[in-house]
């Protein structure tokens, strides 16, 4: 009788990198990442998730892969955003440990070795990369990030670290939990600490983007903030309730003063007060409706259960197109 063997992953480490129009950065990234991973002496893979890039990121990745078989390319059909691209990468990754890292070398690949050592030596499930210096970021980036983390700590909880982004190592157990989450738009920097797995930290200095422009314009930052707030806190709805209660008492006072004025016969000049009351109430109502709408929109998306992303090509798939196919297609 054969004894069933436990399933052991042949890969120790997967490095997941979402890339959106990173043609300029990808060569620098590979040149720095590869020696680090080769030097770790563990079986590894790099999962480069192309988030629907419109430049030559995929073609270049496929060329680089010819010389680096550990590089796997997963290409999504359209741009779905950093966090969802990360979700696609986590689902593709097969390693016992999975590191998520940006493609622009703002997170130093050399830290991956430290993270892996910390996870193994301390036996923890998550190792956060914590930025101890953001001086290389622009003032705008630091300010907006400051506002984001301040808001999250107030609304979500003080456990939200204000210096931990998406550079982290997670064990297979954590990744399996994340992959099973039914959430449509998970915000991993909040979800991972909320799960309560044992963790450690390694600090690093945030470097400047190696090439190209940021792929996080203000509109994407606002989207991330709204997703973060609505997926973790009902406080805005409670604020809407309090605004409603406040407005109600204000109205009661105004009704009393209106009746008193009517009793004294002084009712005609009232344009300014009417004007202010209508605008104020209208404003409060619109804010509350908007707040409700944000939550309802997310419930709607969750009920629709549309796929978060679609994979157009995966080099781990036998039927994946070759470099030549891609090049031919781009010249057509
Ligand atoms: N990214 C992505 N999809 C997007 C926007 C960004 O996959 O829609 C990737 C991007 O290629 C990079 C990472 O997410 O690897 C972080 O983006 P970026 O460095 O531009 O953000 P910043 O560091 O400026 O906040
Ligand atoms: Mg960056």
């Amino acid at each position: 009788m054969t004894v069933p063997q436990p399933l052991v992953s042949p890969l120790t480490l997967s490095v997941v990198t979402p890339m959106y129009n990173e043609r300029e950065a990808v060569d620098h990234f590979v040149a720095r990442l590869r020696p680090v991973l080769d030097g770790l002496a563990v079986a590894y893979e790099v999962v480069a998730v192309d988030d629907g890039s419109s430049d030559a990121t995929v073609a270049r990745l496929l060329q680089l892969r010819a010389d680096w078989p550990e590089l796997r390319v997963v290409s999504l059909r359209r741009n779905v955003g950093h966090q969802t691209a990360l979700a696609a990468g986590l689902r593709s990754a097969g390693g016992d440990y999975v590191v998520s890292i940006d493609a622009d070398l703002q997170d130093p690949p050399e830290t991956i070795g430290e993270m892996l050592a910390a996870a193994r030596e301390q036996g923890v499930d998550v190792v956060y990369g914590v930025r101890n210096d953001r001086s290389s970021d622009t003032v705008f980036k630091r300010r907006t990030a400051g506002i984001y983390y301040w808001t999250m700590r107030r609304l979500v909880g003080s456990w939200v670290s204000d210096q931990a982004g998406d550079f982290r190592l997670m064990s297979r157990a954590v990744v399996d939990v994340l992959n099973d989450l039914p959430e449509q738009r998970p915000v991993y920097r909040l979800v991972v600490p909320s799960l309560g797995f044992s963790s450690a930290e390694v600090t690093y200095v945030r470097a400047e983007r190696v090439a190209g422009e940021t792929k996080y314009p203000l509109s994407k930052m606002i989207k991330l903030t709204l997703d973060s707030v609505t997926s973790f806190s009902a406080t805005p709805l409670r604020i809407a309730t309090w605004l409603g209660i406040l407005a109600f008492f204000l109205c009661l006072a105004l009704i009393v003063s209106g009746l008193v004025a009517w009793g004294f016969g002084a009712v005609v000049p009232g344009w300014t007060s009417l004007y202010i009351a209508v605008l104020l109430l209208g404003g409060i109502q619109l804010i509350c409706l908007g707040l409700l709408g944000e939550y309802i929109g997310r419930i709607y998306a969750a009920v629709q259960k549309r796929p978060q992303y679609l994979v157009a090509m995966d080099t781990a798939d036998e039927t994946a197109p070759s470099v030549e196919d891609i090049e031919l297609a781009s010249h057509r």
Side-chain angles (χ1 to χ4, degrees):
M1 201 181 86
T2 52
V3 181
Q5 294 293 311
L7 268 177
V8 181
S9 164
L11 287 170
T12 305
L13 181 68
S14 297
V15 176
V16 172
T17 311
M19 295 188 181
Y20 178 54
N21 291 344
E22 297 287 7
R23 173 64 190 88
E24 287 168 63
V26 72
D27 284 71
H28 302 278
F29 178 67
V30 167
R32 222 168 110 194
L33 181 66
R34 187 171 184 178
V36 171
L37 297 181
D38 286 342
L40 291 178
V42 295
Y44 70 85
E45 64 170 352
V46 175
V47 183
V49 183
D50 156 56
D51 185 13
S53 298
S54 52
D55 66 0
T57 304
V58 182
R60 184 63 192 141
L61 281 170
L62 290 173
Q63 281 170 350
L64 290 165
R65 182 183 138 75
D67 183 41
W68 193 20
E70 284 86 357
L71 176 63
R72 174 176 171 189
V73 186
V74 176
S75 183
L76 306 184
R77 288 203 180 275
R78 65 177 183 89
N79 180 239
V80 287
H82 180 203
Q83 298 294 304
T84 309
L86 209 54
L90 294 181
R91 291 211 178 99
S92 307
D96 296 332
Y97 291 101
V98 181
V99 171
S100 52
I101 184 170
D102 287 355
D104 58 359
L105 290 178
Q106 286 202 277
D107 310 326
E110 293 74 19
T111 311
I112 295 174
E114 262 179 75
M115 288 177 159
L116 189 61
R120 285 171 147 180
E121 282 157 22
Q122 301 174 37
V124 292
D125 282 296
V126 188
V127 182
Y128 296 103
V130 176
R131 306 173 270 232
N132 61 3
D133 179 5
R134 282 189 83 136
S135 56
S136 62
D137 276 339
T138 60
V139 174
F140 177 70
K141 183 88 214 174
R142 268 182 281 155
R143 284 276 145 75
T144 47
I147 295 170
Y148 172 82
Y149 286 110
W150 185 87
T151 313
M152 289 313 124
R153 288 171 73 84
R154 295 273 155 331
L155 288 182
V156 178
S158 53
W159 50 265
V160 176
S161 163
D162 57 355
Q163 290 310 330
D166 281 309
F167 184 29
R168 74 180 86 76
L169 175 142
M170 292 164 285
S171 70
R172 174 65 17 213
V174 179
V175 175
D176 284 345
V177 171
L178 295 180
N179 290 346
D180 284 343
L181 284 181
E183 271 179 70
Q184 283 280 318
R185 300 214 290 260
V187 180
Y188 288 116
R189 67 187 66 178
L190 300 179
V191 173
V192 175
S194 79
L195 296 175
F197 279 96
S198 57
S199 67
E201 289 181 356
V202 297
T203 51
Y204 71 99
V205 179
R206 183 112 166 131
E208 261 176 66
R209 175 176 257 282
V210 67
E213 301 278 298
T214 174
K215 306 299 177 302
Y216 253 96
L218 188 62
S219 57
K220 280 191 179 162
M221 285 188 217
I222 292 174
K223 212 165 153 248
L224 180 74
T225 309
L226 285 176
D227 283 344
S228 305
V229 173
T230 50
S231 63
F232 266 91
S233 169
T235 305
L237 289 178
R238 214 156 293 134
I239 294 174
T241 309
W242 281 110
L243 274 178
I245 292 172
L246 219 86
F248 174 74
F249 282 110
L250 195 74
C251 288
L252 270 187
L254 287 175
I255 288 169
V256 172
S257 79
L259 286 176
V260 172
W262 177 72
F264 283 101
V267 281
V268 176
W271 183 84
T272 314
S273 50
L274 261 184
Y275 185 70
I276 292 172
V278 169
L279 284 186
L280 189 76
L281 284 180
I284 291 176
Q285 279 169 0
L286 286 180
I287 291 172
C288 296
L289 268 181
L291 274 174
L292 269 179
E294 284 296 330
Y295 285 88
I296 292 173
R298 276 158 183 81
I299 297 169
Y300 182 51
V303 172
Q304 280 179 317
K305 284 202 187 119
R306 298 233 177 100
Q308 290 169 284
Y309 56 83
L310 287 175
V311 175
M313 189 263 301
D314 181 349
T315 52
D317 182 354
E318 302 286 299
T319 55
S322 64
V323 188
E324 290 76 28
D325 291 340
I326 298 274
E327 277 173 356
L328 270 178
S330 63
H331 285 112
R332 230 169 257 152

